[in-house]
Amino acid sequence: MTVVDDQSLEDGSFNSETSTVAERAERAKAAFAAAVGEEWVIEGEPVARDFSDPYDTLQAPRSRGSYVVQPGSVEEVRQIVRIANEHRVPLWTGSQGRNNGYGGAAPRVPGSVIVNLRRMNKVLEVNETFGYAVVEPGVSFAELNAYLLENDIALWTSVPDLSWGSVLGNTLEHGLGYTPYGEHADQVCGMEIVLADGDLVRTGMGGQSNSKNFHTHQRGFGPRLDEMFMQSNFGIVTKMGLWMQPRPKAWRSVWIHATTDEAGYALVDALRPLLMDGTITNRVLIMNLTAILTALSKKEDWHDSTAPIDDDVRAAMRAAYGLGNWNARIGLYGEPDRMDVDERLIREAVAHIPGTEYVSREYPGDVRHEDVFPPDQAVAGIPNMDLLRMLDWYGYERPGHVGFAPIFPLTSDDAREIHQLLERGSARMGKDYGAAYALTARSMLMLALIIYNAGDPEEVRRTFEVTGEMIAESAAMGYGEYRGHLQFMDRIADQFDFNDHAQQRLNQRLKDALDPRGVLSPGKQGIWPSAGDFRRAGA
Ligand code: ADP
């Protein structure tokens, strides 16, 4: 991606001065400092260290911010967008800014001012009667979980694989957890948003200032606008209401280990009816061996060569851990009697698949976290950071991974197709891969983890090149992505090509209407403003 800089501006609403994004950011710095306080403008080394893409060592200068501004209140966020408009400075908003594998906290337009919302970290409300929390952007999953424990609130969080990220940020990015509340975007009930001109809106029932239903009823009078602010660049979200699962009396983590790849694919067809009829309510994850073992061991424990692991190594791994090539994790919740019936139905559904092994563990709803087998924890929304250990797989001093996450229909044939595509891509890179399918009742996401040496520029270049090829190949098969790294956002957006890219054109019209100077995260999700000098090259 290249960004047009220093071009003469066509839009009459801007003054005719020609300057680079970085120069204008420099000029706006004093105004930002006056708005948030000098100590909350971060410059120099910490920007590169903490607010960049930690896994993309080729990023400088392709995506590096000028400096970071950390507001402490909604009012300060409003001032920030006004200053950005005045100085024509692009902003790039993150909450925790740990969007690793997708670009971290780095912006698309070099020289952007990074708005980081970690300081706004209050749990504003938890309502146990209605089962919801209202959070500011800086609240992490681990913090929300700790808040519930400290205050003895019988509600559960739903956590993604790593619990250090922002609840609000992850939800806006269509992130997922593994409980029945694991489709996080579906739990949103009432948001507050700062628009590009500094206006402040509340969605749904929250549009009524004295509403008693801001966080109990998802729709209001008129269109439901929440989705418009997810995976977009139309506003900065400053508050979010989220529904939460009441703590059940008991829960079970049920694992089905499928020895062969074919048995793993067959699980997908077998589980679909149970997901559709509501026997299984949680977000089932089917993980391959390496997705589990990268978090539990290192490559050198298995293989003394750097070559990708082969079938012999896989057999040794299966034997050592009692795992299959594919391993489905299902959550059941509530009364033990009812879970017995659910288990019987699941066992019957998979009985015809040869080479499967079934394991089930039951825990009380209020189990102490440390008493739960770590790979079971996400089923009960217990924060966990184990997956971060996967980065140590090869023993690289500077490891990285990049997300490849296509969505496809919930069938064994589609699972096979996409897995084989990933296998081919990994072979071209000469790398091991972890892969997992995250299931809904009708579709699944493939979450692929390819670990590479981020200290080796050639390896970074090659990894991004092959990941791009896989994205293109899966799009040609009719599978779009659920999320994408900064470097692939334009490419993925371009794949939504129906009627001469009508969806993209509509997004651009919304962008231009809501953010005429295009200051909010230009390029996010491939949505670029028409105006200004930070639009997509060639657009
Ligand atoms: P996490 O730390 O949970 O991984 P981030 O804070 O990195 O999440 O946010 C992920 C992405 O979501 C960001 O790159 C940004 O595009 C978007 N985002 C995060 N917070 C906000 C917000 N408050 N308003 C608008 N967009 C946001």
Side-chain angles (χ1 to χ4, degrees):
M1 196 270 309
T2 44
V3 169
V4 181
D5 227 347
D6 272 336
Q7 68 174 39
S8 52
L9 303 172
E10 290 155 16
D11 187 316
S13 63
F14 297 139
N15 61 43
S16 59
E17 172 195 19
T18 302
S19 52
T20 65
V21 167
E23 282 164 4
R24 295 199 300 273
E26 194 54 36
R27 261 181 255 145
K29 202 189 305 172
F32 285 124
V36 300
E38 297 238 346
E39 68 271 42
W40 302 113
V41 176
I42 301 168
E43 296 183 73
E45 218 279 306
V47 180
R49 195 186 56 225
D50 300 331
F51 299 96
S52 66
D53 181 345
Y55 305 149
D56 179 3
T57 39
L58 297 181
Q59 68 177 330
R62 77 178 177 187
S63 49
R64 180 70 59 84
S66 284
Y67 51 87
V68 180
V69 177
Q70 292 188 308
S73 67
V74 176
E75 201 37 56
E76 287 178 10
V77 175
R78 300 179 77 177
Q79 287 184 51
I80 286 171
V81 295
R82 290 189 192 114
I83 294 164
N85 271 287
E86 195 183 316
H87 291 267
R88 295 183 290 116
V89 175
L91 305 173
W92 186 267
T93 306
S95 287
Q96 277 289 330
R98 301 193 197 276
N99 199 20
N100 295 352
Y102 298 101
R108 289 216 53 195
V109 176
S112 294
V113 171
I114 295 171
V115 180
N116 176 271
L117 302 171
R118 280 186 203 169
R119 276 180 73 207
M120 295 172 65
N121 62 354
K122 284 194 271 312
V123 177
L124 297 169
E125 183 191 351
V126 175
N127 187 310
E128 202 169 343
T129 310
F130 292 117
Y132 68 76
V134 185
V135 290
E136 288 190 326
V139 177
S140 71
F141 287 96
E143 286 164 347
L144 181 58
N145 193 280
Y147 182 97
L148 298 176
L149 288 181
E150 277 157 26
N151 294 284
D152 198 19
I153 297 168
L155 295 174
W156 271 4
T157 46
S158 168
V159 300
D161 289 301
L162 295 173
S163 53
W164 62 355
S166 152
V167 175
L168 185 149
N170 170 280
T171 303
L172 292 181
E173 278 296 291
H174 301 174
L176 54 119
Y178 304 102
T179 69
Y181 284 55
E183 188 67 31
H184 295 162
D186 285 352
Q187 315 312 327
V188 171
C189 188
M191 303 202 308
E192 181 186 86
I193 303 132
V194 172
L195 299 181
D197 62 359
D199 206 357
L200 186 69
V201 284
R202 289 185 172 177
T203 59
M205 286 295 169
Q208 192 181 335
S209 9
N210 66 346
S211 177
K212 292 188 172 164
N213 284 304
F214 189 10
H215 305 299
T216 54
H217 191 84
Q218 287 179 315
R219 291 186 177 78
F221 189 69
R224 185 173 170 195
L225 297 173
D226 307 71
E227 291 280 352
M228 219 172 82
F229 296 96
M230 298 183 198
Q231 284 206 353
S232 74
N233 49 12
F234 300 150
I236 296 180
V237 181
T238 48
K239 272 184 199 70
M240 182 184 278
L242 267 177
W243 289 343
M244 301 173 89
Q245 182 180 356
R247 188 169 69 205
K249 182 170 170 184
W251 60 281
R252 287 184 197 169
S253 182
V254 172
W255 289 78
I256 304 166
H257 303 296
T259 310
T260 63
D261 286 347
E262 280 305 319
Y265 309 142
L267 280 180
V268 171
D269 287 331
L271 295 177
R272 187 179 53 244
L274 301 179
L275 286 154
M276 285 183 66
D277 73 11
T279 305
I280 299 174
T281 55
N282 83 314
R283 197 82 202 253
V284 174
L285 196 67
I286 307 182
M287 290 162 264
N288 80 342
L289 263 177
T290 17
I292 301 176
L293 290 182
T294 43
L296 300 175
S297 61
K298 293 188 173 199
K299 180 157 179 147
E300 65 187 21
D301 301 336
W302 304 102
H303 209 23
D304 51 10
S305 133
T306 53
I309 53 169
D310 53 25
D311 282 342
D312 289 343
V313 176
R314 261 188 282 277
M317 288 172 154
R318 284 198 303 269
Y321 280 90
L323 295 169
N325 268 11
W326 293 94
N327 306 274
R329 185 182 62 192
I330 302 167
L332 298 174
Y333 308 87
E335 289 293 329
D337 289 358
R338 199 169 72 192
M339 293 193 285
D340 286 343
V341 176
D342 294 339
E343 273 208 37
R344 180 172 57 74
L345 294 170
I346 297 169
R347 278 177 187 271
E348 284 171 9
V350 302
H352 68 284
I353 306 172
T356 52
E357 197 186 321
Y358 192 97
V359 178
S360 168
R361 282 179 286 269
E362 181 172 318
Y363 303 93
D366 60 355
V367 63
R368 291 183 332 157
H369 293 179
E370 54 274 31
D371 294 339
V372 179
F373 180 52
D376 290 346
Q377 290 179 339
V379 173
I382 298 171
N384 185 305
M385 289 294 289
D386 287 353
L387 199 68
L388 206 56
R389 277 193 243 138
M390 73 177 187
L391 288 170
D392 297 332
W393 178 245
Y394 291 105
Y396 296 142
E397 199 175 315
R398 189 136 189 218
H401 71 94
V402 61
F404 168 56
I407 306 172
F408 44 106
L410 192 66
T411 76
S412 53
D413 287 343
D414 290 286
R416 185 184 303 103
E417 287 278 343
I418 205 76
H419 179 224
Q420 289 176 352
L421 186 158
L422 177 63
E423 264 188 324
R424 290 193 297 273
S426 312
R428 291 205 292 284
M429 289 185 242
K431 291 281 163 200
D432 299 323
Y433 61 91
Y437 302 121
L439 277 50
T440 75
R442 294 169 180 80
S443 66
M444 54 188 159
L445 310 176
M446 147 89 66
L447 304 167
L449 293 169
I450 295 164
I451 300 155
Y452 59 90
N453 183 356
D456 175 349
E458 175 50 27
E459 198 165 314
V460 178
R461 193 199 59 72
R462 180 78 184 133
T463 307
F464 276 85
E465 182 180 69
V466 177
T467 306
E469 289 164 10
M470 291 195 295
I471 289 171
E473 219 182 310
S474 66
M477 292 157 76
Y479 309 132
E481 299 285 305
Y482 119 92
R483 197 167 171 178
H485 188 279
L486 297 180
Q487 302 303 325
F488 301 124
M489 281 179 178
D490 290 337
R491 193 178 309 192
I492 296 169
D494 284 352
Q495 291 166 352
F496 288 74
D497 61 352
F498 168 74
N499 186 22
D500 189 21
H501 303 88
Q503 202 180 95
Q504 222 171 349
R505 289 187 285 110
L506 175 58
N507 283 336
Q508 173 142 22
R509 278 147 72 183
L510 291 168
K511 180 70 179 165
D512 291 341
L514 290 172
D515 181 12
R517 297 193 169 191
V519 295
L520 295 182
S521 302
K524 163 89 180 139
Q525 239 61 25
I527 306 171
W528 291 94
S530 305
D533 56 351
F534 28 85
R535 70 197 132 146
R536 184 176 177 176

